[in-house]
Amino acid sequence: MKMKTHKGAKKRFKVTGSGKVKRMRAFKSHILTKKTAKRKRRLRQPSLVATTGEIKHVKRLLQA
């Protein structure tokens, strides 16, 4: 039986061509007045999932 893709993970993560896992940063949805412009600008940029254990876990959720 085929394993289904985890829909929550599908919306949040993307696997790059080299096999790394890309994600968007948190803390950009509300209470933005006290955050500096520099911080908000950085939060717009995508980031990579840090540890290999997390990468393995996310890839398992994404496999269709």
Side-chain angles (χ1 to χ4, degrees), residues 31-64:
I31 318 174
L32 298 172
T33 48
K34 62 175 83 168
K35 293 170 189 163
T36 64
K38 180 182 180 179
R39 185 170 161 196
K40 289 186 275 193
R41 212 170 27 249
R42 292 216 175 141
L43 291 171
R44 269 185 239 139
Q45 306 304 317
S47 160
L48 295 173
V49 173
T51 65
T52 49
E54 287 172 341
I55 290 169
K56 263 173 90 169
H57 189 78
V58 171
K59 280 186 177 177
R60 175 142 193 242
L61 294 172
L62 291 176
Q63 77 172 12

Side-chain angles (χ1 to χ4, degrees), residues 18-39:
S18 61
K20 294 174 182 170
V21 179
K22 198 163 76 165
R23 65 173 178 87
M24 287 310 286
R25 294 173 192 271
F27 311 111
K28 184 65 175 68
S29 56
H30 62 105
I31 318 174
L32 298 172
T33 48
K34 62 175 83 168
K35 293 170 189 163
T36 64
K38 180 182 180 179
R39 185 170 161 196

